[in-house]
Amino acid sequence: DAGVIQSPRHEVTEMGQEVTLRCKPISGHDYLFWYRQTMMRGLELLIYFNNNVPIDDSGMPEDRFSAKMPNASFSTLKIQPSEPRDSAVYFCASSLREGQETQYFGPGTRLLVL
Amino acid sequence: DAKTTQPPSMDCAEGRAANLPCNHSTISGNEYVYWYRQIHSQGPQYIIHGLKNNETNEMASLIITEDRKSSTLILPHATLRDTAVYYCIVRVASGGGGADGLTFGKGTHLIIQP
């Protein structure tokens, strides 16, 4: 298996623009997680899905952030409009069957909002 | 999930055993100890986990004290590629009803010296 796949790997955009990050989890994994990493706040959970259904989005910073999982092999994290403080590395992770199982992380998307 | 305390940084000579401590004095009976690491510019990587018995796999050994209030991750023969931030996380066992997302602290930055 190729592991968790994220795209793009790097994104540079201007303030106010829409940004869409993409994730393909490991085949057969039922849980998908989105994390954000910054120097100030470290790694923090934004939202996670179980069988394509959002379970906990309490970590989503504000309404500008939205996430979807239209099918078992694809998820998006959208920021609209983007702001400079959204600059961070965004990681997607997946796990098998239950959330407490080992999580496998993708390589991350480095987002820079100018 | 219980809070953990780790030293911010450690050095270890290449080829020697690296021993990374973690304090989790408020751990509950149904919480496991997990270790992840994050190599620079990569996503976090699972290393090992345990409940109360010592565990060993191809990457590392995990030693948990009898009272379960602390643990030590051991990399038996550290190499330069083991330089990374190591995160100790305690979380509820599978099916225990705890949160599914991982809560990362600041971790220990382990630097392997040549």
Side-chain angles (χ1 to χ4, degrees):
Chain A
D1 201 315
V4 175
I5 298 172
Q6 293 187 245
S7 64
R9 293 294 308 277
H10 299 86
E11 178 81 25
V12 180
T13 191
E14 293 188 343
M15 182 175 64
Q17 297 297 307
E18 176 181 300
V19 176
T20 299
L21 311 180
R22 298 172 176 80
C23 175
K24 176 179 169 55
I26 294 173
S27 177
H29 282 194
D30 292 336
Y31 280 76
L32 183 140
F33 305 81
W34 282 100
Y35 292 85
R36 178 174 67 175
Q37 185 171 33
T38 62
M39 288 294 291
M40 290 296 293
R41 300 175 66 87
L43 268 162
E44 51 184 353
L45 176 68
L46 299 178
I47 185 172
Y48 73 92
F49 296 81
N50 178 22
N51 290 320
N52 313 336
V53 176
I55 302 301
D56 183 358
D57 65 354
S58 60
M60 295 286 262
E62 47 196 276
D63 292 345
R64 296 184 297 107
F65 285 70
S66 63
K68 295 181 180 180
M69 192 165 185
N71 57 63
S73 59
F74 183 66
S75 176
T76 60
L77 178 66
K78 184 177 294 186
I79 308 172
Q80 180 184 21
S82 59
E83 296 183 3
R85 59 187 169 138
D86 301 330
S87 297
V89 183
Y90 292 82
F91 290 103
C92 177
S94 68
S95 68
L96 185 65
R97 288 193 302 274
E98 295 186 22
Q100 288 87 355
E101 297 270 347
T102 299
Q103 294 185 19
Y104 296 86
F105 285 75
T109 295
R110 294 183 176 276
L111 173 65
L112 177 62
V113 183
L114 301 174
Chain B
D1 290 343
K3 184 176 179 179
T4 62
T5 304
Q6 299 178 253
S9 65
M10 292 181 63
D11 287 350
C12 179
E14 187 178 19
R16 304 296 293 269
N19 296 279
L20 292 90
C22 179
N23 203 303
H24 32 79
S25 58
T26 60
I27 192 170
S28 299
N30 63 345
E31 288 181 315
Y32 280 74
V33 180
Y34 278 78
W35 284 84
Y36 280 75
R37 74 179 181 183
Q38 186 175 22
I39 296 170
H40 183 60
S41 298
Q42 297 183 20
Q45 175 191 25
Y46 165 80
I47 302 173
I48 198 168
H49 74 281
L51 183 62
K52 51 184 174 181
N53 297 321
N54 298 338
E55 302 287 345
T56 296
N57 63 20
E58 65 278 5
M59 290 182 67
S61 294
L62 174 60
I63 308 299
I64 303 174
T65 58
E66 191 169 343
D67 63 6
R68 301 207 327 120
K69 293 186 177 183
S70 66
S71 60
T72 301
L73 178 74
I74 301 172
L75 307 179
H77 304 288
T79 70
L80 298 178
R81 289 177 294 179
D82 292 322
T83 292
V85 178
Y86 288 75
Y87 298 99
C88 171
I89 301 168
V90 293
R91 59 201 304 256
V92 177
S94 178
D100 291 322
L102 293 169
T103 301
F104 289 86
K106 296 186 182 301
T108 295
H109 188 192
L110 175 66
I111 300 171
I112 306 301
Q113 305 281 3

